[in-house]
Amino acid sequence: MATTTSRDTAAVPTHADAGTPSSCQPSLAVTAAGCLRLEPSHFTNHRVDLDSLDYDPGTRKQIWEYHVNQHDEIRRAYITKGPHQPPLKKNKKSGMHNRSFQASWFEYNKSWLEYSPTTDMAYCLPCFVFHSPNGVVGQNKFTVGGFRNWKKVGGKDCYLQGHIGKDPNSAHRVAEQMCKDLMNQSQHLQRVVNHFTTEQIANNRLQLKASIFIVRYLAFQAIAFRG
Ligand SMILES: [Zn+2]
């Protein structure tokens, strides 16, 4: 059964909003299927504008810190944007061995590796997207704290490869799969909604024509409306 996500909704003010503080009133949301849904005020008041999301992995908030109803749409926004891989300034050295993050590491880890010039640390997008404070999925070093031990990148025991893991069920691979599933689910739902809308419009028009015909017939015949 198709479900409606909060991204597919648009909040509109209720009549009760007029002249009252917005913090006291719930608002109506229009779902993608054209239905109205009442959003509690504690949610609408804390809704985050997706355009205002911070994409710097060194300064962004964790997704679990947002309202739970918005988690999936925020996740999709980060996945759609892709890993934060800004152009790097040359000769920026850091760490115990005076090394620096290398742009070439992006090429070999294009789908996940991120770098923050703000903190001069590396992060992982999929693990960040599904990171939880309980630590069930993801690894804190690449999600919250950041990784900067550049000496451990490369070679037989490359830390980046270690993060991916050889096990098909490693935390990183599970997070990657969850990202794919979330995006596939979103596309599937959009197709269902699009299909439903076209079909529903045709059905609604037919029902409206039939209703008008019946009302006019009953009115002309002076027959009471029943049922
Ligand atoms: Zn990861």
Side-chain angles (χ1 to χ4, degrees), residues 62-104:
Q62 296 297 311
I63 292 176
W64 52 262
E65 294 180 78
Y66 293 97
H67 192 286
V68 67
N69 286 11
Q70 250 192 308
H71 284 182
D72 278 353
E73 63 180 319
I74 292 172
R75 285 179 176 130
R76 281 194 291 266
Y78 276 105
I79 296 168
T80 302
K81 185 88 164 40
H84 190 70
Q85 298 175 347
L88 301 177
K89 289 180 183 170
K90 290 180 181 174
N91 303 323
K92 184 169 185 178
K93 308 281 186 185
S94 63
M96 288 175 61
H97 301 274
N98 203 30
R99 296 167 187 250
S100 60
F101 185 96
Q102 302 295 310
S104 61

Short mmCIF file of all heavy atoms in Angstrom, two decimals, residues 62-104:
data_model
loop_
_atom_site.label_atom_id
_atom_site.label_comp_id
_atom_site.label_asym_id
_atom_site.label_seq_id
_atom_site.Cartn_x
_atom_site.Cartn_y
_atom_site.Cartn_z
N GLN A 62 23.39 15.85 13.06
CA GLN A 62 23.06 14.46 12.79
C GLN A 62 21.57 14.38 12.45
O GLN A 62 20.75 15.12 13.01
CB GLN A 62 23.36 13.58 14.01
CG GLN A 62 24.84 13.52 14.37
CD GLN A 62 25.67 12.88 13.26
OE1 GLN A 62 25.35 11.82 12.74
NE2 GLN A 62 26.75 13.54 12.87
N ILE A 63 21.22 13.46 11.54
CA ILE A 63 19.83 13.38 11.09
C ILE A 63 18.89 13.02 12.24
O ILE A 63 17.76 13.51 12.31
CB ILE A 63 19.71 12.40 9.91
CG1 ILE A 63 20.44 13.01 8.70
CG2 ILE A 63 18.25 12.11 9.57
CD1 ILE A 63 20.50 12.13 7.48
N TRP A 64 19.35 12.20 13.16
CA TRP A 64 18.47 11.81 14.26
C TRP A 64 18.15 12.98 15.19
O TRP A 64 17.28 12.89 16.05
CB TRP A 64 19.04 10.62 15.03
CG TRP A 64 20.46 10.77 15.51
CD1 TRP A 64 21.59 10.28 14.89
CD2 TRP A 64 20.93 11.45 16.69
NE1 TRP A 64 22.71 10.62 15.60
CE2 TRP A 64 22.34 11.33 16.72
CE3 TRP A 64 20.30 12.14 17.72
CZ2 TRP A 64 23.13 11.87 17.73
CZ3 TRP A 64 21.09 12.69 18.74
CH2 TRP A 64 22.48 12.55 18.73
N GLU A 65 18.85 14.09 15.02
CA GLU A 65 18.55 15.27 15.84
C GLU A 65 17.34 16.04 15.31
O GLU A 65 16.81 16.92 15.99
CB GLU A 65 19.76 16.20 15.88
CG GLU A 65 20.97 15.61 16.60
CD GLU A 65 22.15 16.57 16.62
OE1 GLU A 65 22.13 17.50 17.43
OE2 GLU A 65 23.07 16.40 15.80
N TYR A 66 16.93 15.75 14.08
CA TYR A 66 15.74 16.40 13.52
C TYR A 66 14.49 15.65 13.97
O TYR A 66 14.56 14.53 14.48
CB TYR A 66 15.80 16.40 11.98
CG TYR A 66 16.90 17.25 11.41
CD1 TYR A 66 18.12 16.70 11.03
CD2 TYR A 66 16.73 18.62 11.24
CE1 TYR A 66 19.14 17.47 10.49
CE2 TYR A 66 17.75 19.41 10.70
CZ TYR A 66 18.95 18.82 10.33
OH TYR A 66 19.95 19.60 9.80
N HIS A 67 13.33 16.24 13.70
CA HIS A 67 12.06 15.58 14.03
C HIS A 67 11.96 14.27 13.24
O HIS A 67 12.27 14.23 12.04
CB HIS A 67 10.88 16.49 13.68
CG HIS A 67 9.58 16.00 14.25
ND1 HIS A 67 8.91 14.92 13.72
CD2 HIS A 67 8.85 16.43 15.31
CE1 HIS A 67 7.81 14.72 14.43
NE2 HIS A 67 7.75 15.62 15.40
N VAL A 68 11.49 13.24 13.90
CA VAL A 68 11.46 11.91 13.29
C VAL A 68 10.64 11.87 11.99
O VAL A 68 10.96 11.11 11.07
CB VAL A 68 10.93 10.87 14.32
CG1 VAL A 68 9.46 11.14 14.64
CG2 VAL A 68 11.14 9.46 13.81
N ASN A 69 9.60 12.71 11.90
CA ASN A 69 8.77 12.72 10.68
C ASN A 69 9.53 13.24 9.47
O ASN A 69 9.07 13.09 8.34
CB ASN A 69 7.52 13.58 10.89
CG ASN A 69 6.52 12.89 11.78
OD1 ASN A 69 6.84 11.88 12.40
ND2 ASN A 69 5.32 13.43 11.87
N GLN A 70 10.65 13.89 9.69
CA GLN A 70 11.39 14.47 8.57
C GLN A 70 12.66 13.69 8.23
O GLN A 70 13.38 14.06 7.30
CB GLN A 70 11.76 15.92 8.90
CG GLN A 70 10.98 16.93 8.07
CD GLN A 70 11.54 18.32 8.17
OE1 GLN A 70 11.74 18.83 9.26
NE2 GLN A 70 11.78 18.95 7.04
N HIS A 71 12.94 12.64 8.97
CA HIS A 71 14.20 11.92 8.77
C HIS A 71 14.40 11.47 7.32
O HIS A 71 15.46 11.69 6.73
CB HIS A 71 14.28 10.71 9.70
CG HIS A 71 14.59 11.10 11.11
ND1 HIS A 71 14.75 10.19 12.13
CD2 HIS A 71 14.75 12.34 11.69
CE1 HIS A 71 15.00 10.83 13.27
NE2 HIS A 71 14.99 12.13 13.03
N ASP A 72 13.39 10.82 6.76
CA ASP A 72 13.57 10.25 5.42
C ASP A 72 13.75 11.31 4.35
O ASP A 72 14.54 11.14 3.43
CB ASP A 72 12.40 9.32 5.06
CG ASP A 72 12.59 7.94 5.68
OD1 ASP A 72 13.68 7.70 6.26
OD2 ASP A 72 11.68 7.12 5.58
N GLU A 73 13.03 12.41 4.44
CA GLU A 73 13.19 13.44 3.41
C GLU A 73 14.56 14.12 3.53
O GLU A 73 15.17 14.49 2.54
CB GLU A 73 12.06 14.47 3.43
CG GLU A 73 11.95 15.29 4.68
CD GLU A 73 10.78 16.28 4.59
OE1 GLU A 73 10.59 16.87 3.53
OE2 GLU A 73 10.07 16.42 5.60
N ILE A 74 15.07 14.24 4.76
CA ILE A 74 16.41 14.80 4.95
C ILE A 74 17.45 13.81 4.44
O ILE A 74 18.42 14.20 3.77
CB ILE A 74 16.64 15.14 6.44
CG1 ILE A 74 15.73 16.30 6.84
CG2 ILE A 74 18.10 15.50 6.69
CD1 ILE A 74 15.72 16.61 8.32
N ARG A 75 17.22 12.53 4.72
CA ARG A 75 18.14 11.51 4.18
C ARG A 75 18.19 11.57 2.66
O ARG A 75 19.25 11.54 2.05
CB ARG A 75 17.67 10.12 4.61
CG ARG A 75 17.94 9.81 6.06
CD ARG A 75 17.44 8.42 6.43
NE ARG A 75 17.80 8.12 7.80
CZ ARG A 75 16.96 7.66 8.72
NH1 ARG A 75 15.70 7.41 8.39
NH2 ARG A 75 17.36 7.42 9.93
N ARG A 76 17.02 11.67 2.03
CA ARG A 76 16.98 11.72 0.56
C ARG A 76 17.70 12.96 0.04
O ARG A 76 18.37 12.90 -0.99
CB ARG A 76 15.54 11.67 0.07
CG ARG A 76 14.94 10.28 0.08
CD ARG A 76 13.64 10.24 -0.74
NE ARG A 76 12.59 10.98 -0.08
CZ ARG A 76 11.69 10.44 0.73
NH1 ARG A 76 11.71 9.15 0.98
NH2 ARG A 76 10.76 11.18 1.30
N ALA A 77 17.57 14.07 0.76
CA ALA A 77 18.25 15.30 0.31
C ALA A 77 19.76 15.11 0.33
O ALA A 77 20.46 15.50 -0.62
CB ALA A 77 17.85 16.46 1.22
N TYR A 78 20.28 14.48 1.38
CA TYR A 78 21.73 14.26 1.46
C TYR A 78 22.20 13.24 0.41
O TYR A 78 23.24 13.42 -0.21
CB TYR A 78 22.12 13.79 2.87
CG TYR A 78 22.32 14.94 3.83
CD1 TYR A 78 21.38 15.23 4.80
CD2 TYR A 78 23.45 15.75 3.73
CE1 TYR A 78 21.56 16.30 5.67
CE2 TYR A 78 23.64 16.83 4.60
CZ TYR A 78 22.69 17.09 5.56
OH TYR A 78 22.86 18.17 6.42
N ILE A 79 21.41 12.19 0.20
CA ILE A 79 21.80 11.18 -0.79
C ILE A 79 21.80 11.80 -2.18
O ILE A 79 22.69 11.57 -3.00
CB ILE A 79 20.85 9.96 -0.73
CG1 ILE A 79 20.96 9.27 0.63
CG2 ILE A 79 21.17 8.97 -1.86
CD1 ILE A 79 19.87 8.23 0.89
N THR A 80 20.76 12.59 -2.48
CA THR A 80 20.66 13.23 -3.79
C THR A 80 21.81 14.18 -4.04
O THR A 80 22.37 14.24 -5.13
CB THR A 80 19.31 13.99 -3.90
OG1 THR A 80 18.25 13.07 -3.69
CG2 THR A 80 19.16 14.64 -5.27
N LYS A 81 22.20 14.91 -3.02
CA LYS A 81 23.32 15.86 -3.15
C LYS A 81 24.64 15.13 -3.37
O LYS A 81 25.53 15.60 -4.07
CB LYS A 81 23.39 16.72 -1.88
CG LYS A 81 24.42 17.81 -1.91
CD LYS A 81 23.82 19.05 -2.53
CE LYS A 81 24.62 20.33 -2.27
NZ LYS A 81 26.06 20.22 -2.35
N GLY A 82 24.77 13.95 -2.75
CA GLY A 82 26.00 13.16 -2.89
C GLY A 82 27.04 13.54 -1.87
O GLY A 82 26.90 14.52 -1.13
N PRO A 83 28.13 12.75 -1.82
CA PRO A 83 29.18 13.02 -0.83
C PRO A 83 29.79 14.40 -1.02
O PRO A 83 29.94 14.86 -2.16
CB PRO A 83 30.23 11.93 -1.11
CG PRO A 83 29.53 10.90 -1.92
CD PRO A 83 28.42 11.59 -2.67
N HIS A 84 30.12 15.03 0.08
CA HIS A 84 30.71 16.38 0.04
C HIS A 84 32.20 16.23 -0.34
O HIS A 84 33.03 15.80 0.47
CB HIS A 84 30.57 17.02 1.43
CG HIS A 84 30.94 18.46 1.45
ND1 HIS A 84 30.17 19.44 0.86
CD2 HIS A 84 32.00 19.12 2.01
CE1 HIS A 84 30.72 20.62 1.04
NE2 HIS A 84 31.84 20.45 1.73
N GLN A 85 32.50 16.58 -1.58
CA GLN A 85 33.87 16.41 -2.08
C GLN A 85 34.34 17.72 -2.72
O GLN A 85 34.42 17.85 -3.95
CB GLN A 85 33.92 15.25 -3.09
CG GLN A 85 33.52 13.92 -2.46
CD GLN A 85 33.43 12.76 -3.45
OE1 GLN A 85 33.42 12.95 -4.65
NE2 GLN A 85 33.38 11.55 -2.91
N PRO A 86 34.63 18.71 -1.90
CA PRO A 86 35.00 20.04 -2.43
C PRO A 86 36.40 20.02 -3.04
O PRO A 86 37.20 19.14 -2.74
CB PRO A 86 34.96 20.91 -1.17
CG PRO A 86 35.30 19.98 -0.07
CD PRO A 86 34.70 18.65 -0.43
N PRO A 87 36.68 21.01 -3.91
CA PRO A 87 38.04 21.15 -4.43
C PRO A 87 39.00 21.39 -3.25
O PRO A 87 38.64 22.09 -2.30
CB PRO A 87 37.97 22.40 -5.32
CG PRO A 87 36.52 22.69 -5.49
CD PRO A 87 35.78 22.05 -4.36
N LEU A 88 40.16 20.78 -3.30
CA LEU A 88 41.07 20.86 -2.15
C LEU A 88 42.16 21.90 -2.37
O LEU A 88 42.67 22.04 -3.49
CB LEU A 88 41.72 19.49 -1.91
CG LEU A 88 40.75 18.35 -1.64
CD1 LEU A 88 41.50 17.05 -1.48
CD2 LEU A 88 39.92 18.63 -0.38
N LYS A 89 42.49 22.59 -1.29
CA LYS A 89 43.61 23.53 -1.36
C LYS A 89 44.92 22.72 -1.25
O LYS A 89 45.00 21.78 -0.45
CB LYS A 89 43.53 24.53 -0.22
CG LYS A 89 42.40 25.51 -0.38
CD LYS A 89 42.36 26.48 0.77
CE LYS A 89 41.17 27.42 0.62
NZ LYS A 89 40.93 28.22 1.81
N LYS A 90 45.87 23.10 -2.05
CA LYS A 90 47.14 22.36 -2.05
C LYS A 90 47.95 22.69 -0.80
O LYS A 90 47.80 23.75 -0.21
CB LYS A 90 47.95 22.72 -3.29
CG LYS A 90 47.33 22.15 -4.56
CD LYS A 90 48.15 22.51 -5.77
CE LYS A 90 47.46 21.93 -7.00
NZ LYS A 90 48.12 22.37 -8.24
N ASN A 91 48.79 21.75 -0.45
CA ASN A 91 49.78 21.93 0.61
C ASN A 91 49.19 22.11 2.00
O ASN A 91 49.84 22.65 2.88
CB ASN A 91 50.70 23.14 0.31
CG ASN A 91 51.40 22.97 -1.03
OD1 ASN A 91 51.79 21.86 -1.39
ND2 ASN A 91 51.53 24.05 -1.77
N LYS A 92 47.93 21.71 2.18
CA LYS A 92 47.38 21.78 3.54
C LYS A 92 47.79 20.51 4.27
O LYS A 92 47.32 19.43 3.96
CB LYS A 92 45.87 21.92 3.49
CG LYS A 92 45.27 22.09 4.88
CD LYS A 92 43.83 22.47 4.83
CE LYS A 92 43.31 22.75 6.23
NZ LYS A 92 41.92 23.18 6.24
N LYS A 93 48.68 20.66 5.21
CA LYS A 93 49.19 19.49 5.94
C LYS A 93 48.56 19.42 7.32
O LYS A 93 48.26 20.44 7.93
CB LYS A 93 50.71 19.60 6.11
CG LYS A 93 51.47 19.86 4.83
CD LYS A 93 51.62 18.61 4.02
CE LYS A 93 52.50 18.86 2.81
NZ LYS A 93 52.59 17.71 1.91
N SER A 94 48.36 18.21 7.79
CA SER A 94 47.80 18.06 9.13
C SER A 94 48.13 16.69 9.67
O SER A 94 48.65 15.83 8.95
CB SER A 94 46.28 18.26 9.09
OG SER A 94 45.70 17.25 8.31
N GLY A 95 47.80 16.47 10.92
CA GLY A 95 48.02 15.18 11.52
C GLY A 95 49.42 15.04 12.08
O GLY A 95 50.29 15.89 11.88
N MET A 96 49.65 13.94 12.75
CA MET A 96 50.93 13.71 13.43
C MET A 96 52.10 13.66 12.46
O MET A 96 53.22 13.99 12.80
CB MET A 96 50.85 12.38 14.20
CG MET A 96 49.96 12.44 15.43
SD MET A 96 49.81 10.84 16.20
CE MET A 96 51.51 10.50 16.62
N HIS A 97 51.84 13.22 11.25
CA HIS A 97 52.94 13.01 10.30
C HIS A 97 52.95 14.06 9.20
O HIS A 97 53.53 13.85 8.15
CB HIS A 97 52.86 11.60 9.72
CG HIS A 97 52.93 10.55 10.78
ND1 HIS A 97 54.12 10.05 11.25
CD2 HIS A 97 51.96 9.93 11.50
CE1 HIS A 97 53.88 9.16 12.21
NE2 HIS A 97 52.58 9.06 12.37
N ASN A 98 52.31 15.16 9.46
CA ASN A 98 52.32 16.30 8.54
C ASN A 98 51.92 15.90 7.12
O ASN A 98 52.58 16.26 6.15
CB ASN A 98 53.72 16.94 8.53
CG ASN A 98 53.64 18.39 8.08
OD1 ASN A 98 52.63 19.05 8.30
ND2 ASN A 98 54.68 18.87 7.44
N ARG A 99 50.89 15.11 7.02
CA ARG A 99 50.36 14.71 5.71
C ARG A 99 49.08 15.46 5.44
O ARG A 99 48.61 16.22 6.27
CB ARG A 99 50.10 13.19 5.68
CG ARG A 99 51.37 12.38 5.84
CD ARG A 99 51.04 10.93 6.13
NE ARG A 99 52.26 10.19 6.45
CZ ARG A 99 52.81 9.28 5.65
NH1 ARG A 99 52.23 8.99 4.50
NH2 ARG A 99 53.89 8.64 6.01
N SER A 100 48.50 15.21 4.28
CA SER A 100 47.25 15.91 3.97
C SER A 100 46.27 14.96 3.28
O SER A 100 46.66 13.93 2.71
CB SER A 100 47.53 17.12 3.07
OG SER A 100 48.11 16.68 1.87
N PHE A 101 45.04 15.35 3.32
CA PHE A 101 44.00 14.59 2.60
C PHE A 101 44.27 14.73 1.10
O PHE A 101 44.58 15.82 0.61
CB PHE A 101 42.62 15.18 2.94
CG PHE A 101 41.48 14.40 2.34
CD1 PHE A 101 40.81 13.43 3.07
CD2 PHE A 101 41.07 14.64 1.03
CE1 PHE A 101 39.76 12.72 2.52
CE2 PHE A 101 40.02 13.93 0.47
CZ PHE A 101 39.36 12.96 1.22
N GLN A 102 44.17 13.63 0.36
CA GLN A 102 44.49 13.64 -1.06
C GLN A 102 43.22 13.58 -1.92
O GLN A 102 42.33 12.76 -1.66
CB GLN A 102 45.36 12.43 -1.41
CG GLN A 102 46.65 12.36 -0.63
CD GLN A 102 47.58 13.52 -0.97
OE1 GLN A 102 47.85 13.82 -2.13
NE2 GLN A 102 48.06 14.22 0.07
N ALA A 103 43.18 14.43 -2.94
CA ALA A 103 42.01 14.45 -3.83
C ALA A 103 41.83 13.10 -4.52
O ALA A 103 40.70 12.69 -4.84
CB ALA A 103 42.17 15.56 -4.87
N SER A 104 42.92 12.38 -4.75
CA SER A 104 42.83 11.08 -5.44
C SER A 104 42.02 10.07 -4.63
O SER A 104 41.47 9.13 -5.18
CB SER A 104 44.23 10.53 -5.70
OG SER A 104 44.90 10.35 -4.47
#
